[in-house]
Amino acid sequence: MASTRKDLPVIRSSKAVAWSGLLLALALAYVLGYFIQRDRNVRMAAAERQALALAEGTARLLHLELRNLERAMGGIAGDAQQLFATVPEAAPQLLSESVAGVVSRHAELQSIVVVDRNGVAITRGVGVSIPDDARRSTPRGGKRPLSFGRLQRADGEWVLPLLMPMDGGRWIVTRLRVAEIQRVIGNLDTGKEGVVTVVDAQGTVVARSDGAGRYIGKRYADLLGASDSARVIVRRSAVDGVERISARLALPEYRLQVSAGLGTHETLHDWYLLLAVAGSLYLLYCAAFLYLWRHLRRSARAQGGLLLEVNRAAERLRLAQQVGKTGTWSVRHPGAEIEWSEQVSDIMGQPDDRSRASSEEFFAMVHPDDREQLQQRFAESWRTRQAFVTDYRIIRPDGEVRWIASRGGAFVRGDADPTMAGTVVDITAEREAQSRLLDTERRYRLLFERNPLPFWVFDAQTLRFLEVNEAAVRHYGYRREEFLAMSILDIRPDEDSQAVRLSMFGVPSDEGETWRHVKKDGSVIDVRVYSASITYDDRPARLVLAEDISDTLAYERELHYRATHDSTIGLFNLPGLKAWVRQQAPTQCQLIYIQLRGIEPVIDSLGQAVATRLLDSIASRLEDLAAQWQGAIAFVPAEAFVLAVPGTPAMEGVVDALHLAVTQPVEQGGSVRTLEAWLGWAECAEEGFDATASKAALAAHVARAEGTVCRHFRADMATAASDRLRLIGRIHQALERQEFELHFQPITRVDEARPASLEALLRWPQAGGGFVPPSQFIALSEDAGLILPLGEWVMEEAMRCQQRLAREGWDDLPIAINVSPLQLARPDFADRLIRLQQRHGLPRGALHIEVTESVLLDRPDRTVQTLRQLQRNGICTSLDDFGTGFSSMAYLHQLPLDALKIDQTFVRGVTDDERSAAICRALISLGHNLGLTMIAEGVETEQQLEWLRRHHCDQVQGYLIARPMKMDALLDYLAGIPLRNAH
């Protein structure tokens, strides 16, 4: 006790010093912390302002750059829209040349391409996938919205696609070089750790002021989250792991985000020095205080050292038992209470203050299934003094069952009574893990054995099968015993043995591999193999699942064949020929386009099957020729072939052989059929297969138009075709704007000089005066399919003029309109014309039609039927330009005609050319014998008129009588002629 009282002043002194020093340390820490924190806040605020300025400046620069590009693209889009509206067929070429100049003047642009609604390039260049958000974008203030595609690499550099919609579903795509954006931010002063980053709406890095090559094109979702106004945050970058003070700003118009960050460590570099100095002063104070306090406490610690060591040892034992879920128990003698440690109470779910129980109470806690066994172990240990180890279950008060591993035994110390003691360990987790392992093994066995796909395990070293499932036995035809006596090489073709051994050194692919396997019957199948390395019976092995994909691969081959071959006759289609040229003749080849005529009449008269056999015969001849030149042939439905010949052969011989092969008669079912053919050829150029095929086709069309067998493509053909397309576009516009007008030329009776009828002549006036000659636009309208709407307009306008004539008293003066063979070939032509006549309320005989002899060349029977239907409804028919065609007299006799018009080429020479006079006399006599009215065209002199009167020609038409005139002028002309019913 004296010693204790002696130490008390020391303890009290040390406590007083400790409290005083602690209070002083807290005050000093507060003061230093306040000023240090204030300095840090000032530095961070300055850095935030600098980061904000960098972000806003970069955003303004980008906004200016993109706004200029947007305006330029808007201008190009407007030009493109005008070109597509005026010259749609030539627009891609013209637009390609225009944007090429723009790209050449702007180094920041990689390309400008116009694409269709599916992203396929219309002009020269590469197409692009149109993002869904771009399709949903709406115009801003009447302007076309600018959208962005995904960042991509082109020609070894990063480019950013900019998309602007155009009318008609087209898009203009400008690829901006990322190097331009990189140039904008590359020279910004951000310090050593600072960085300026530009990302798109998906978080993909578009440009970065530091380490651009490593990060551009990568996506970081952490970089998203900017708004219209700048927002400053401090966080560690997910890109390079550097903590920065970052200002983020969004460019909502262009779906870009700018992030400008300054390195936190660099910003606070001087502050860290200040912190180190302050910390050093504080630590110096603390060290001095600790030295004093430890000196005072040394003696106090010596007093409590022994007790502390004892407590520590007890605590270590308690912690060891707690961590190991281990407790101790003891029984002083048989029948005595069982005592246990705190850990046992925790394991058994007993209250902390309960540490003993009678034998009956303890065994009542044991699971009924394990109770008798545990009682026997206790009894045997009391009897034999031997140790025991046993596992049993206990039931906690909350009903939870836990597994216990108990180790113990009875022993005797000297003359004392026997005592039993031991330990218990909670092994519930181990037991549950073992149960899960057994359950997993059972499920795996079930999955392996019942799997519908072949499954096996083979030794990774010997390659011998270790286990197979029933599906493998069924699919491959081997019995299980046979499989287990084989190696993996036995189900592989001999030539694959080396590949199998090499594959054992690699890592199995998660996507599987395609191999060939041999079944017991010798058949070879294609399989997709999925494998994994496992340990089986303590040795390395491979677990393999094999899926038979033979049918799938066969289906894919069939799809590929259908994609590259024509289903009608089995030849290549154009995509298939294009692929062949790319593989077999990538450097130089010739394309010959063979245009046929004569297939459609065979289809119409004899059916598709006969036409297909005819095409097969022609295709067989062409294939033989293609094989001689190491070339390939493709079929272009429904009447064209394209031949690719590698190298530079003598094209004259090639063309002659092809023309002979195509036009040589084909015998079918006792009849002989001959086709017409025109050929065009062109050399494969840099613009590629498609452009060359178009050139060859154009050359063939030119050959057909000129009546020659073959033409070699020349640049002026494209120019002429472009002019034709331009004129077709103008015809479209003229139809929409109602630019056409009808002029009328009177046809008079020879005997009384009165108008018998009027011929309606189509005219196309021009704004600057003059007219486009009908010879230029009528035939072109027929080729372009515009003659039908043009003819509809002529019929409507002629009937309106007929109504006007009737109102002026000339209801007995019919109007004759010229009808194209394409109009007359329509099955519903007669019905349409009759309905129009009825709708306008025209009487019978008020409308005439004029046809040429060419209508007899195609389906004469249908033509006769149509004309008869018109005649029954009071619509007369004249045969125009009679004598210049190749009409059959038999058809002429059958045609329900009302008049024949003698062509002006014969009328012009009746007074001074005996042959022309003889032809005219014969034609007039023929017409009169057929009961037809004879009309002479092109009468320009009194001598011609007098000759025609002497030879009894019925009616005349020409400049001598009257020139074609508008309706108003016609009415003035007719005003000088008395009406029939005038008094």
Side-chain angles (χ1 to χ4, degrees):
M1 291 296 294
S3 176
T4 303
R5 285 193 300 270
K6 180 180 178 182
D7 290 338
L8 286 177
V10 176
I11 297 175
R12 287 197 297 270
S13 177
S14 65
K15 289 182 178 180
V17 171
W19 281 109
S20 299
L22 180 60
L23 291 174
L24 183 58
L26 291 175
L28 181 60
Y30 176 81
V31 173
L32 291 175
Y34 171 79
F35 286 102
I36 290 173
Q37 183 62 36
R38 184 173 180 275
D39 182 78
R40 184 181 187 278
N41 291 341
V42 171
R43 295 175 187 273
M44 291 292 287
E48 290 177 1
R49 290 193 296 273
Q50 185 179 355
L52 182 59
L54 284 172
E56 291 177 342
T58 303
R60 284 195 293 271
L61 290 174
L62 284 179
H63 187 275
L64 179 60
E65 182 75 12
L66 294 174
R67 177 55 56 86
N68 291 336
L69 281 177
E70 185 178 14
R71 291 172 179 169
M73 290 175 67
I76 295 174
D79 295 342
Q81 191 61 41
Q82 183 176 4
L83 287 174
F84 279 108
T86 57
V87 284
E89 297 296 329
Q93 178 65 29
L94 298 176
L95 192 55
S96 296
E97 296 171 356
S98 175
V99 299
V102 176
V103 173
S104 65
R105 293 191 299 272
H106 294 272
E108 69 274 16
L109 301 183
Q110 196 267 345
S111 66
I112 300 177
V113 184
V114 176
V115 301
D116 61 18
R117 66 182 67 253
N118 297 316
V120 179
I122 299 175
T123 61
R124 287 196 296 267
V126 180
V128 70
S129 176
I130 308 299
D132 291 339
D133 57 351
R135 298 182 188 275
R136 295 191 296 267
S137 62
T138 58
R140 304 186 302 271
K143 296 190 296 182
R144 305 175 187 270
L146 185 65
S147 304
F148 288 72
R150 293 186 180 276
L151 194 66
Q152 55 187 235
R153 290 191 71 87
D155 297 330
E157 64 179 335
W158 287 102
V159 295
L160 182 64
L162 311 180
L163 302 96
M164 177 175 288
M166 298 168 54
D167 295 343
R170 291 180 286 268
W171 294 76
I172 180 169
V173 180
T174 299
R175 291 181 169 88
L176 174 64
R177 287 188 167 95
V178 169
E180 175 65 13
I181 303 178
Q182 189 65 33
R183 181 189 63 78
V184 173
I185 67 174
N187 298 323
L188 297 177
D189 184 13
T190 59
K192 295 181 179 179
E193 295 181 349
V195 68
V196 177
T197 306
V198 181
V199 300
D200 63 16
Q202 288 75 38
T204 304
V205 175
V206 176
R208 185 175 170 91
S209 61
D210 178 43
R214 299 193 302 273
Y215 303 115
I216 290 180
K218 296 184 179 179
R219 184 177 179 182
Y220 301 93
D222 186 70
L223 296 178
L224 295 174
S227 60
D228 295 353
S229 58
R231 183 165 60 94
V232 181
I233 58 174
V234 179
R235 64 190 304 171
R236 189 170 299 279
S237 171
V239 180
D240 56 11
V242 177
E243 182 177 286
R244 294 186 178 90
I245 304 154
S246 299
R248 296 186 177 180
L249 183 63
L251 280 73
E253 289 184 86
Y254 301 111
R255 298 178 63 82
L256 293 178
Q257 297 184 16
V258 176
S259 174
L262 301 176
T264 305
H265 185 273
E266 185 179 7
T267 301
L268 298 177
H269 179 268
D270 293 337
W271 180 83
Y272 287 133
L273 295 177
L274 178 62
L275 179 64
V277 172
S280 300
L281 293 175
Y282 187 80
L283 291 176
L284 183 61
Y285 163 78
C286 292
F289 168 73
L290 287 176
Y291 176 78
L292 176 61
W293 183 74
R294 290 185 64 184
H295 180 73
L296 295 174
R297 288 291 297 170
R298 189 173 294 121
S299 59
R301 282 201 302 269
Q303 296 175 9
L306 181 60
L307 180 60
L308 181 60
E309 185 63 31
V310 172
N311 290 335
R312 286 176 177 174
E315 182 64 16
R316 284 196 296 269
L317 177 60
R318 188 187 68 80
L319 290 175
Q321 291 180 345
Q322 184 178 358
V323 172
K325 296 183 179 181
T326 302
T328 59
W329 56 272
S330 64
V331 183
R332 296 186 180 276
H333 56 78
E337 288 186 333
I338 301 176
E339 300 177 3
W340 58 71
S341 64
E342 179 184 352
Q343 288 71 30
V344 175
S345 296
D346 184 61
I347 293 172
M348 300 179 68
Q350 298 297 318
D352 293 340
D353 58 354
R354 184 177 185 185
S355 61
R356 63 181 62 203
S358 64
S359 297
E360 291 77 9
E361 292 175 334
F362 171 74
F363 284 114
M365 301 177 192
V366 179
H367 195 281
D369 295 341
D370 302 334
R371 188 177 300 154
E372 182 178 355
Q373 172 190 353
L374 183 60
Q375 289 174 338
Q376 291 176 356
R377 293 294 181 91
F378 269 61
E380 184 178 356
S381 181
W382 282 119
R383 185 176 67 256
T384 62
R385 307 292 191 269
Q386 297 292 323
F388 66 87
V389 177
T390 186
D391 296 344
Y392 59 91
R393 289 165 290 178
I394 57 99
I395 303 176
R396 292 160 57 107
D398 58 3
E400 181 183 1
V401 177
R402 302 192 71 85
W403 277 93
I404 302 296
S406 180
R407 178 187 295 272
F411 58 90
V412 179
R413 291 182 177 177
D415 297 334
D417 293 334
T419 300
M420 184 181 292
T423 61
V424 294
V425 179
D426 187 346
I427 60 171
T428 304
E430 288 81 356
R431 280 281 187 164
E432 290 177 350
Q434 183 180 10
S435 176
R436 288 194 297 269
L437 181 62
L438 293 174
D439 187 56
T440 300
E441 183 178 353
R442 180 186 61 80
R443 288 198 298 267
Y444 166 75
R445 175 59 63 179
L446 184 64
L447 178 64
F448 181 86
E449 293 179 349
R450 302 290 178 85
N451 198 299
L453 296 177
F455 236 141
W456 59 71
V457 179
F458 69 89
D459 192 301
Q461 296 177 348
T462 65
L463 305 183
R464 297 186 67 83
F465 286 99
L466 301 177
E467 188 60 78
V468 295
N469 70 347
E470 186 61 30
V473 171
R474 290 194 306 269
H475 198 73
Y476 285 81
Y478 294 102
R479 290 181 293 106
R480 183 174 182 277
E481 293 75 11
E482 291 177 313
F483 257 122
L484 298 182
M486 297 161 53
S487 75
I488 195 69
L489 297 176
D490 294 324
I491 62 170
R492 297 292 297 275
D494 295 339
E495 59 270 21
D496 291 353
S497 299
Q498 186 64 23
V500 174
R501 292 188 172 90
L502 291 175
S503 68
M504 298 306 298
F505 295 100
V507 178
S509 171
D510 294 336
E511 299 179 355
E513 301 176 45
T514 302
W515 293 96
R516 294 183 304 159
H517 283 177
V518 180
K519 300 169 70 170
K520 186 176 182 179
D521 60 6
S523 59
V524 179
I525 59 175
D526 295 298
V527 296
R528 171 70 71 177
V529 171
Y530 303 89
S531 63
S533 298
I534 63 171
T535 299
Y536 188 88
D537 287 345
D538 297 328
R539 53 179 145 176
R542 285 280 178 91
L543 174 66
V544 176
L545 181 143
E547 179 185 6
D548 189 342
I549 59 172
S550 300
D551 294 340
T552 301
L553 292 182
Y555 179 67
E556 290 176 354
R557 287 190 288 268
E558 175 66 19
L559 287 180
H560 179 265
Y561 179 84
R562 292 183 180 183
T564 57
H565 289 73
D566 178 75
S567 60
T568 305
I569 57 177
L571 292 180
F572 277 134
N573 55 22
L574 281 182
L577 185 63
K578 180 178 180 180
W580 183 91
V581 169
R582 189 184 302 115
Q583 295 177 357
Q584 304 296 329
T587 56
Q588 190 174 30
C589 77
Q590 313 293 324
L591 289 186
I592 302 97
Y593 191 94
I594 307 170
Q595 177 67 57
L596 304 179
R597 188 173 74 173
I599 298 296
E600 289 190 1
V602 175
I603 295 175
D604 295 339
S605 58
L606 301 177
Q608 183 64 52
V610 175
T612 300
R613 289 195 296 272
L614 177 60
L615 286 172
D616 283 335
S617 300
I618 300 299
S620 177
R621 298 175 184 175
L622 294 177
E623 281 186 298
D624 292 340
L625 292 176
Q628 295 178 18
W629 301 314
Q630 290 78 47
I633 190 79
F635 178 63
V636 182
E639 293 186 313
F641 292 90
V642 178
L643 175 67
V645 181
T648 56
M651 293 305 298
E652 293 77 6
V654 171
V655 167
D656 291 342
L658 289 174
H659 188 262
L660 178 62
V662 174
T663 58
Q664 186 176 356
V666 178
E667 292 188 9
Q668 280 189 325
S671 61
V672 177
R673 312 191 192 285
T674 302
L675 301 179
E676 292 183 87
W678 298 270
L679 288 76
W681 64 278
E683 300 89 350
C684 286
E686 294 182 356
E687 56 264 34
F689 176 89
D690 295 333
T692 306
S694 298
K695 291 178 180 179
L698 177 58
H701 296 327
V702 171
R704 179 173 181 174
E706 294 179 351
T708 59
V709 171
C710 178
R711 287 297 303 272
H712 178 212
F713 174 80
R714 298 193 316 270
D716 60 345
M717 293 181 180
T719 302
S722 178
D723 293 340
R724 284 169 57 87
L725 290 176
R726 240 181 246 109
L727 186 55
I728 290 172
R730 290 183 57 200
I731 296 173
H732 271 288
Q733 289 184 341
L735 278 170
E736 294 173 357
R737 300 173 181 174
Q738 299 288 316
E739 294 180 3
F740 293 103
E741 59 186 30
L742 288 183
H743 289 199
F744 300 91
Q745 187 175 30
I747 301 173
T748 63
R749 297 180 178 87
V750 176
D751 54 356
E752 56 179 337
R754 284 183 56 82
S757 62
L758 302 172
E759 181 178 2
L761 301 172
L762 185 62
R763 294 293 184 263
W764 184 6
Q766 300 302 294
F771 297 88
V772 177
S775 59
Q776 289 187 12
F777 70 86
I778 294 294
L780 186 57
S781 297
E782 292 182 338
D783 293 341
L786 297 175
I787 197 65
L788 297 180
L790 191 58
E792 290 283 336
W793 181 86
V794 169
M795 290 190 293
E796 286 272 6
E797 185 66 17
M799 292 182 188
R800 283 193 291 268
C801 292
Q802 176 65 47
Q803 289 177 318
R804 186 175 176 185
L805 285 173
R807 289 193 299 269
E808 297 294 333
W810 291 91
D811 53 351
D812 62 339
L813 188 61
I815 294 178
I817 59 175
N818 290 278
V819 176
S820 166
L822 293 178
Q823 291 178 271
L824 199 62
R826 295 183 62 172
D828 61 343
F829 172 75
D831 295 332
R832 293 170 66 89
L833 187 57
I834 293 168
R835 284 197 300 269
L836 282 174
Q837 181 188 27
Q838 294 171 351
R839 191 176 71 194
H840 287 274
L842 300 183
R844 294 174 61 87
L847 187 67
H848 293 185
I849 65 170
E850 294 187 7
V851 298
T852 62
E853 299 177 38
S854 59
V855 300
L856 301 173
L857 298 178
D858 187 18
R859 302 181 180 178
D861 294 339
R862 177 184 293 180
T863 301
V864 171
Q865 181 180 356
T866 299
L867 295 180
R868 284 177 178 169
Q869 183 180 357
L870 293 175
Q871 193 178 59
R872 287 195 300 269
N873 286 271
I875 298 176
C876 300
T877 302
S878 299
L879 189 61
D880 198 9
D881 299 333
F882 184 65
T884 61
F886 305 95
S887 301
S888 167
M889 290 297 111
Y891 282 126
L892 184 61
H893 175 71
Q894 296 175 11
L895 281 175
L897 298 174
D898 298 280
L900 295 179
K901 300 186 73 172
I902 305 172
D903 188 72
Q904 62 181 347
T905 56
F906 303 120
V907 175
R908 190 179 299 120
V910 292
T911 59
D912 52 15
D913 182 14
E914 184 56 35
R915 289 190 176 184
S916 296
I919 292 174
C920 285
R921 284 194 296 270
L923 293 178
I924 293 172
S925 175
L926 174 64
H928 285 162
N929 290 334
L930 292 174
L932 302 176
T933 299
M934 297 303 297
I935 303 172
E937 296 181 302
V939 179
E940 299 180 354
T941 66
E942 289 290 347
Q943 293 80 5
Q944 294 170 353
L945 178 60
E946 180 59 29
W947 189 95
L948 293 168
R949 183 182 290 111
R950 289 200 312 270
H951 291 83
H952 310 293
C953 183
D954 301 306
Q955 298 173 8
V956 293
Q957 175 185 3
Y959 283 0
L960 177 65
I961 310 302
R963 289 178 176 270
M965 60 194 84
K966 292 184 179 181
M967 176 55 65
D968 292 339
L970 175 66
L971 292 175
D972 293 339
Y973 170 80
L974 294 175
I977 301 174
L979 299 174
R980 287 185 181 274
N981 56 359
H983 296 287

